[in-house]
Amino acid sequence: MLLFDLTSIQAIANVKRHGGGIYGETIFRRLIEKKITFNCYYDSNRWINPDIINLCCKNNIQLFDINKFKLKEIVTQNSIDTIYSPLDGNGIFDINCYKIITIHGLRIFETPKDKYQLFYKYKFSRKIKEILKFYLSDLFLCRSRKEYVSKYFSDPNTEIITVSNHSKNALITFFPEIKSNNIKLHTLYSPSTARNNIDIPTREFINPYFLIVSGNRWVKNTIRAIIAFERLKSMGYLTNIDLVITGAHKNDIKYKFKYPQSIIFKGYVEDNELESLYKNAQILVYPSLNEGFGYPPLEAMKYGTPVIASAITSIPEICGDAVMYFCPYSIEEIMNRMLQMQDQSLREAYSKKSLKRFDEITKKQHEDLDKLIDLISNNNSL
């Protein structure tokens, strides 16, 4: 019997929907579509998409609350032979059964600490921790490496899925234990999140706008994009263009805005509103400092929305030649790309490329999703 870790798709702190959670929800739904028999566990103290609970009830999927049952008890009392976790497998490593885990990337090891990190709002205790990690990064990385080896790369009963060739090779680069301990490692692209027949609201804004998503996390590098946008404004460019930021509020970023009337913070938005924002944006600005896969460019490409994006980690692998790249650490280069995309003929050319790239990647995503389902449901290596 397969046991699915729903805690991985639940809210993380104040973030209800996150990339790893959406990834896990898509796999969960596909298991149901394929009529695979499985059980789930979740944490009743954290937000979970109510659609997932409804699907469990509708399909007679047994749902265990880890506040009432210990995971070891769930496994031993319900003939569980395999646990699948779509995110980090937290809490399953001392469980005596086969474990399949998705590791999306190695952000903690690949992304150097950044001075702009301190522009983001933290609670006092978190701020102290982040400052210590900034100045004692080698010590924290050494400790994290030992934890990763202990959790993921020591037990032969653990199998690893990752979501891009970049992430696969990052794992191999940072952890020679994968080879020496014969840990099975598979690359299967993150499943498509594209949806059809969505009730998309009408366009909300009068002015053309650039779009940034998930703006409250420093690794998304929103602050540099804001600075680039405002510098261009101060130079007399982008006069009638706004910047729309989802996933963040104005007070999440400690920065004195020069053009606050042109920067619109949306906070958390529902799926249909986000689709409308993608569809109607002039461009998507994607300045992320690290991605294991990276959904937002594809979600914008679905509508032919041009994208400017970081030229690092998995982003070029997923986006190919369909986006205009920049160095995410260079404010001037972000400014350059924002300016270039004011050329309508260039936007139209990238719009055509984006639609083509979306189709190519979506086809592979569908193929890889079914390979993943076969792997976790049959416990057979690919």
Side-chain angles (χ1 to χ4, degrees):
M1 173 68 74
L2 172 67
L3 183 65
F4 191 102
D5 172 16
L6 285 182
T7 66
S8 293
I9 74 171
Q10 294 186 247
I12 298 176
N14 63 340
V15 180
K16 284 186 176 180
R17 307 296 298 279
H18 49 88
I22 294 169
Y23 169 93
E25 285 189 17
T26 308
I27 295 166
F28 172 88
R29 294 174 192 276
R30 188 59 176 158
L31 283 166
I32 292 175
E33 290 171 2
K34 298 274 281 186
K35 302 187 184 305
I36 306 297
T37 301
F38 65 103
N39 295 330
C40 298
Y41 67 94
Y42 80 118
D43 181 350
S44 60
N45 291 330
R46 291 161 54 197
W47 183 89
I48 186 170
N49 185 344
D51 289 346
I52 299 299
I53 300 299
N54 291 337
L55 282 170
C56 286
C57 295
K58 183 178 178 180
N59 292 277
N60 297 315
I61 297 170
Q62 192 162 5
L63 191 59
F64 298 97
D65 181 359
I66 59 171
N67 295 294
K68 297 179 180 179
F69 304 96
K70 292 182 179 180
L71 191 52
K72 285 185 178 180
E73 294 174 354
I74 298 170
V75 170
T76 56
Q77 294 175 11
N78 294 275
S79 302
I80 302 298
D81 51 43
T82 303
I83 299 178
Y84 171 64
S85 177
L87 192 54
D88 59 7
N90 187 35
I92 73 173
F93 299 100
D94 60 346
I95 305 298
N96 186 25
C97 69
Y98 205 78
K99 296 169 279 285
I100 303 176
I101 297 147
T102 296
I103 299 178
H104 293 259
L106 290 181
R107 183 173 291 165
I108 189 173
F109 300 101
E110 291 185 297
T111 309
K113 291 300 175 182
D114 183 7
K115 66 178 182 180
Y116 284 98
Q117 184 176 355
L118 300 181
F119 279 72
Y120 296 81
K121 182 180 178 181
Y122 298 106
K123 292 181 180 179
F124 180 75
S125 59
R126 171 76 186 277
K127 184 174 183 179
I128 295 299
K129 183 178 180 180
E130 294 301 328
I131 290 172
L132 289 173
K133 288 168 72 174
F134 186 90
Y135 288 104
L136 302 172
S137 59
D138 288 345
L139 179 64
F140 276 89
L141 287 176
C142 182
R143 187 178 71 177
S144 296
R145 191 185 183 286
K146 290 179 180 178
E147 289 177 355
Y148 265 67
V149 172
S150 174
K151 285 182 176 181
Y152 301 119
F153 311 126
S154 298
D155 184 357
N157 286 322
T158 301
E159 199 156 349
I160 306 297
I161 297 166
T162 194
V163 296
S164 65
N165 290 311
H166 168 83
S167 291
K168 175 185 177 181
N169 287 290
L171 285 163
I172 292 169
T173 300
F174 282 92
F175 295 100
E177 291 85 356
I178 290 175
K179 184 173 183 180
S180 61
N181 292 338
N182 295 315
I183 303 297
K184 294 175 182 175
L185 177 62
H186 312 285
T187 301
L188 297 169
Y189 273 16
S190 288
S192 175
T193 56
R195 298 185 300 159
N196 298 316
N197 303 318
I198 304 170
D199 182 17
I200 298 178
T202 57
R203 178 173 173 152
E204 179 180 354
F205 306 106
I206 297 174
N207 289 339
Y209 63 90
F210 297 168
L211 176 64
I212 295 176
V213 297
S214 301
N216 65 332
R217 289 182 282 166
W218 74 269
V219 77
K220 299 299 183 180
N221 201 28
T222 305
I223 188 65
R224 282 190 176 91
I226 291 173
I227 294 170
F229 178 81
E230 290 205 320
R231 282 187 187 175
L232 288 171
K233 285 271 191 187
S234 68
M235 294 164 64
Y237 300 100
L238 311 183
T239 53
N240 68 331
I241 294 177
D242 293 331
L243 179 63
V244 176
I245 302 171
T246 71
H249 300 280
K250 184 177 180 180
N251 60 3
D252 288 333
I253 297 175
K254 298 185 297 180
Y255 172 74
K256 188 174 181 180
F257 298 96
K258 298 179 178 64
Y259 298 91
Q261 71 281 3
S262 295
I263 301 178
I264 302 164
F265 287 89
K266 295 290 292 180
Y268 172 77
V269 297
E270 297 292 342
D271 290 349
N272 61 343
E273 184 178 359
L274 182 58
E275 294 287 333
S276 177
L277 291 171
Y278 279 127
K279 180 178 181 179
N280 294 301
Q282 186 184 93
I283 61 172
L284 173 72
V285 182
Y286 196 59
S288 179
L289 299 176
N290 189 284
E291 294 295 329
F293 184 82
Y295 278 125
L298 289 174
E299 291 171 342
M301 287 179 192
K302 177 174 67 173
Y303 298 108
T305 300
V307 178
I308 63 172
S310 301
I312 58 174
T313 63
S314 68
I315 300 170
E317 176 186 344
I318 303 306
C319 296
D321 67 350
V323 311
M324 184 178 286
Y325 294 106
F326 53 75
C327 170
Y329 295 99
S330 171
I331 291 171
E332 291 75 16
E333 202 163 316
I334 299 172
M335 293 169 63
N336 183 306
R337 302 303 184 257
M338 287 178 174
L339 276 179
Q340 285 193 59
M341 277 296 186
Q342 291 312 290
D343 183 325
Q344 184 174 347
S345 62
L346 191 63
R347 287 202 307 273
E348 289 173 356
Y350 274 96
S351 178
K352 291 178 182 177
K353 287 183 178 183
S354 68
L355 290 167
K356 180 181 177 183
R357 185 64 177 177
F358 173 79
D359 289 341
E360 292 170 352
I361 295 298
T362 301
K363 180 180 178 182
K364 178 169 174 52
Q365 287 177 297
H366 290 322
E367 292 170 352
D368 282 2
L369 175 57
D370 282 340
K371 290 178 182 178
L372 189 154
I373 297 300
D374 288 343
L375 176 62
I376 64 177
S377 61
N378 299 323
N379 194 16
N380 293 323
S381 294
L382 297 174

